[in-house]
C-alpha cells in the first residue's frame, strides 16, 4: 500500500538493522539485526517482509519472513542466505535461490 518502507541501516561496523518506517521517515519497528541483511521483499498484501540474514557467528543465517506490524519472524530456509527472495502473487509461497557447490539451488517454500 506504499504507506511504509523497509530500510536496512548500518548500526555499527559489523551490524545492520532492518526497520520499517513510514513515508515521513518515522521509525515504526525494528525487525532484525545481523551482519548482513539483503534480498528484502514485501509480500503482495504488504503485511510481511521476506529477507536474507547472515550473522557473524553464522548461527542465524537464513531466509526469514517477518510480520511487518509485530516483527514476529519465522525461519523459512535456515542455514542458507539467498540473494534473491520473491513472493508468489498469492503471498503463500516464497522463492529463494542459493549458490551451493558451484550451482544454483532454487527453493519454493510454502508458508502457513
Amino acid at each position: 500500500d506504499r504507506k511504509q518502507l523497509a530500510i536496512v541501516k548500518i548500526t555499527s561496523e559489523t551490524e545492520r538493522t532492518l526497520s520499517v518506517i513510514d513515508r515521513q521517515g518515522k521509525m515504526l519497528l525494528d525487525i532484525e539485526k545481523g551482519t548482513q541483511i539483503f534480498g528484502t521483499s514485501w509480500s503482495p498484501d504488504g503485511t510481511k517482509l521476506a529477507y536474507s540474514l547472515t550473522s557473524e557467528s553464522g548461527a542465524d543465517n537464513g531466509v526469514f519472513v517477518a510480520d511487518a506490524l509485530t516483527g514476529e519472524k519465522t525461519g523459512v530456509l535456515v542455514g542458507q542466505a539467498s540473494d534473491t527472495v520473491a513472493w508468489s502473487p498469492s503471498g503463500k509461497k516464497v522463492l529463494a535461490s542459493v549458490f551451493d557447490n558451484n550451482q544454483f539451488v532454487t527453493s519454493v517454500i510454502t508458508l502457513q
Side-chain angles (χ1 to χ4, degrees):
D1 64 4
R2 303 190 192 279
K3 292 182 182 176
Q4 54 192 16
L5 306 166
I7 62 165
V8 177
K9 60 184 174 183
I10 299 171
T11 49
S12 78
E13 191 172 307
T14 59
E15 184 179 80
R16 310 300 186 257
T17 302
L18 173 61
S19 302
V20 177
I21 63 172
D22 67 15
R23 290 190 298 187
Q24 288 73 39
K26 179 183 174 194
M27 183 67 55
L28 300 175
L29 178 68
D30 283 339
I31 299 274
E32 184 70 83
K33 292 178 189 259
T35 305
Q36 291 292 332
I37 301 170
F38 49 94
T40 305
S41 179
W42 284 99
S43 63
D45 66 2
T47 62
K48 295 178 182 70
L49 279 167
Y51 58 93
S52 286
L53 171 75
T54 60
S55 64
E56 237 178 324
S57 69
D60 294 324
N61 293 357
V63 176
F64 297 86
V65 172
D67 184 292
L69 293 176
T70 66
E72 184 178 336
K73 70 176 182 175
T74 303
V76 296
L77 188 61
V78 179
Q80 300 180 38
S82 171
D83 286 333
T84 303
V85 180
W87 290 87
S88 67
S90 69
K92 295 181 181 182
K93 295 180 181 183
V94 174
L95 177 123
S97 294
V98 176
F99 190 72
D100 188 26
N101 292 324
N102 292 323
Q103 64 183 355
F104 283 98
V105 178
T106 301
S107 301
V108 177
I109 303 141
T110 301
L111 306 174
Q112 296 178 340

